Every structure is written in C-alpha cells, then in structure tokens.
C-alpha cells in the first residue's frame, strides 16, 4: 500500500475556499518579510538567535522553564512522550486523542509503550474516569506514567477543555505519581475563546506544546515546553529523530510574527465558525455541533445527503472540506472570510434542496 499523499486532480477547478484545515493557511506578505529578514545561525550549536528568541518566548508564554523548536506538533507529541516513557510503560489519553489516532502508532513503533484509551463526550474525559483507570502498581500490568489531554479536542469537535477539568485531571495524575502532557495543537484558540492566559491554562501540566502552523498561520514549526531538565533530555530524542534544523531562524521568525500578530485575530475564526454552524443548522436534516472555536462538525445523513457526496460537489465548485469520525469537518482560519462562509452556505443550501 502506498502512503504517499495524492496531489489534487488537476482537472478540478482551483480551490477558492479552503475549509479543509487551519494547516492550509499560507504565510502573509508581512510574515514572509519577517522570515526573509531573520537573523540566523546553526541551531545545533545554539547559535541561531531567532530560534533562541522563539524558545524563550514560548517558555514564558506557557509558564515553563525552557522550550525547544520542532518542525511539527506531531513531533512535539512524539518527542515528549518518548522522553517521558520507557518500553513497557503506559499513557492514559482519550480514545480519540491525536496521540492515539493520528501519529502512526509511534508510541508502539519507537517507544515500545502503549496508550490506554479513556472514554468521555466531546473528546474529553473526567477526573472520575481517570481515577477509575488508575491501577495499583503490579508486576502484571504496565507502569502508568503519563496522562495526556488535547486542547482543543479535535475529533471531539474542537471543544475546549474547561480549566477546572484540566486542573482536576492534573491534580489526580500528580497525586498518583504520573506526569502530565498537554497537546496544545490549538491551545491559543482555547485561550482566546475563554480569556484564560496560556500559562494559566497549562498550569499543572509538566509538558505542553504550541503549534504555529494551524490558526497562527506559520508555514512550519511547533515548540515543546517543560522544565529545563526535561527539555535537556528531550534533545536526545530530537537528535535521534533527525537532529537540528540548522538555520531554522527563517521558520522561527514566522512563528514569532504569528505570536505578535495572529493570536487576537483567532476570534475572527471563531466568529466565522459560528456563522457557518448557524447557517448549516437551518438546513432541514442537518445535525450540527455548536462550535467552541474554529472547527465545525456536522452530519448530513438525516437530510438524505451522504457526506462524501456533499464534499465531492463542493470540491467541484472550488470549496474544500473533509470528513473526520464519520462527520463533515469544516475549519475556519485566517485565509477564510465571512463572505466565503456565506458563499459556502449558499452552495450547500442549493445542494440540499436538490436532494
């Protein structure tokens, strides 16, 4: 089986409205200028001043002692969990968590540890569910080492873990001697939507990372933060997985620009997601999950409209969406305007009426 991504069919019209994912964002002209002007050096020797500035900025933002720059959020999860765990260990995470569903089984392939899936609505689990899954240490069972949460919960609908829930889960984990890891793929979306500072949201979590390639709009990069000792140890896994990124300041500059200019505007994405959800909910037979942030999940089967049929029709008109977990997912971001949302809704209404 080939796993190589398949390019879009050139016979189809150009994509005009890209609601596939916030990873589809393109760097703005100003971000490109910041990247081209970046001061750079060899990251391997700590000589890239822009990378160093980004790591210091992220560590302060997230309330941790240190941070490291990595190419992607998935690598942040991989490096963090490989550092936390040893072969035979166990991680506790939601059954739809990215570390379990979307990282190619890295935990088993490279680390020799397993993930215990926890259940709960909206991609989240409760303190009670975590407590029920904890075991008395025994030579017959794997050693439980880490509890992981995903903020926001993607497959759960882009939902925001309430801080009270995050705090409770972290407290229970720490009381049981477990480490805590927060997948922060869309952490800033949660912070903007709730008004809670990132360092407060991540309090109680030993490791946390921030992705710059989603709503923040950078073309590459994520940063993993934790204690100075942990990040120092994590560098061993960064080396094993490919090493330094040399003059990575070119990319880090885009991430710094995103922190300066693209956080507050996430509110626009949330507003557009609500606009889309509100319009979809008015279409007979459409079942729409009210969005917490920039992800809109909806089901069209009750309208006698198979999800894939709608997605195919939209693509023929230059509009891109996807399915995830059996539902259609639309993702708003800085390249999507309210006018694009209205155009998309108009076309979907036409398709639904024609069924």
């Amino acid at each position: 089986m080939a796993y190589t991504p398949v390019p879009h069919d050139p016979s189809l019209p150009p994509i005009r409205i890209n609601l596939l994912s916030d990873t589809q964002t393109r760097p703005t002209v100003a971000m490109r200028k910041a990247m081209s002007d970046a001061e750079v050096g060899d990251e391997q020797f700590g000589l890239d001043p822009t990378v160093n500035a980004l790591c210091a900025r992220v560590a302060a933002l997230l309330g941790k002692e240190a941070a490291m720059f990595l190419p992607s959020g998935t690598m942040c999860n991989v490096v963090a969990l490989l550092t936390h765990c040893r072969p035979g260990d166990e991680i506790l995470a939601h059954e739809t968590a990215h570390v379990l569903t979307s990282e190619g089984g890295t935990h088993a392939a490279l680390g020799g540890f397993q993930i215990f899936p926890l259940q709960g609505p909206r991609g989240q689990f409760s303190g009670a569910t975590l407590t029920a899954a904890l075991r008395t240490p025994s030579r017959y069972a794997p050693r439980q080492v880490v509890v992981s949460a995903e903020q926001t919960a993607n497959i759960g609908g882009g939902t925001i873990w309430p801080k009270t829930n995050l705090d409770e889960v972290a407290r229970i984990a720490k009381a049981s001697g477990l480490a805590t890891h927060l997948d922060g793929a869309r952490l800033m979306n949660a912070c903007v939507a709730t008004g809670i500072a990132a360092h407060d949201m991540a309090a109680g979590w030993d490791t946390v990372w921030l992705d710059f390639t989603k709503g923040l709009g950078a073309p590459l990069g994520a940063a993993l933060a934790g204690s100075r000792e942990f990040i120092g140890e994590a560098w061993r896994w960064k080396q094993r997985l490919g090493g330094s990124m040399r003059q990575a300041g070119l990319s880090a500059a885009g991430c710094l620009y995103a922190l300066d200019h693209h956080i507050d505007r996430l509110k626009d994405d949330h507003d557009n997601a609500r606009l889309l959800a509100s319009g979809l909910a008015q279409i007979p037979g459409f079942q729409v999950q009210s969005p917490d942030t920039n992800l809109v999940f909806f089901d069209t089967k009750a309208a006698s409209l198979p999800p894939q049929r709608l997605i195919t029709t939209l693509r023929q008109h230059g509009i891109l969406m996807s399915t995830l977990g059996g539902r259609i997912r639309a993702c708003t971001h800085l390249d999507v305007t309210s006018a694009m949302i209205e155009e998309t809704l108009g076309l979907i209404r036409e398709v639904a009426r024609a069924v």
Side-chain angles (χ1 to χ4, degrees), residues 11 61 92 176 255 258 291 295:
S11 68
L61 177 69
L92 295 100
S176 302
C255 301
L295 299 179

Side-chain angles (χ1 to χ4, degrees), residues 179-204:
T180 52
H181 173 69
L182 188 61
D183 174 332
R186 295 182 175 89
L187 177 64
M188 298 315 301
N189 289 88
C191 292
V192 167
T194 61
I196 299 172
H199 62 83
D200 288 332
M201 191 75 80

Side-chain angles (χ1 to χ4, degrees), residues 8-215:
H8 288 298
D9 186 344
S11 68
L12 292 172
I15 298 170
R16 298 179 298 105
I17 303 174
N18 195 330
L19 294 162
L20 180 70
S21 174
D22 39 13
T23 62
Q24 303 293 295
T25 55
R26 297 171 184 268
T28 63
V29 172
M31 181 181 284
R32 290 172 187 261
K33 178 67 165 56
M35 294 171 69
S36 68
D37 291 347
E39 186 178 358
V40 299
D42 193 337
E43 186 208 23
Q44 175 166 246
F45 299 100
L47 296 177
D48 192 305
T50 309
V51 171
N52 294 343
L54 176 64
C55 290
R57 178 85 173 270
V58 170
L61 177 69
L62 299 177
K64 307 304 176 188
E65 293 179 343
M68 65 161 25
F69 189 41
L70 289 163
S72 71
T74 292
M75 284 195 70
C76 286
N77 273 337
V78 170
V79 167
L81 296 179
L82 286 170
T83 305
H84 276 301
C85 300
R86 296 295 178 268
D89 286 348
E90 183 174 81
I91 299 164
L92 295 100
H94 193 271
E95 61 185 351
T96 64
H98 196 274
V99 295
L100 182 57
T101 66
S102 305
E103 295 180 5
T106 300
H107 54 282
L110 298 184
F113 42 85
Q114 66 187 36
I115 299 176
F116 186 92
L118 301 175
Q119 296 182 335
R122 293 163 54 84
Q124 304 174 28
F125 55 87
S126 66
T129 297
L130 172 60
T131 298
L134 295 174
R135 294 187 295 265
T136 301
S138 164
R139 69 177 186 272
Y140 300 107
R143 185 173 68 111
Q144 295 177 316
V145 173
V146 186
V147 175
S148 179
E150 183 181 333
Q151 181 74 304
T152 61
N154 179 17
I155 297 179
T159 62
I160 299 171
W161 281 68
K163 179 166 165 49
T164 53
N165 194 8
L166 284 178
D167 290 347
E168 180 186 24
V169 166
R171 178 184 57 78
I172 293 169
K174 292 297 184 63
S176 302
L178 277 68
T180 52
H181 173 69
L182 188 61
D183 174 332
R186 295 182 175 89
L187 177 64
M188 298 315 301
N189 289 88
C191 292
V192 167
T194 61
I196 299 172
H199 62 83
D200 288 332
M201 191 75 80
W205 294 80
D206 297 310
T207 50
V208 55
W209 57 271
L210 190 63
D211 197 326
F212 300 104
T213 68
K214 294 186 169 67

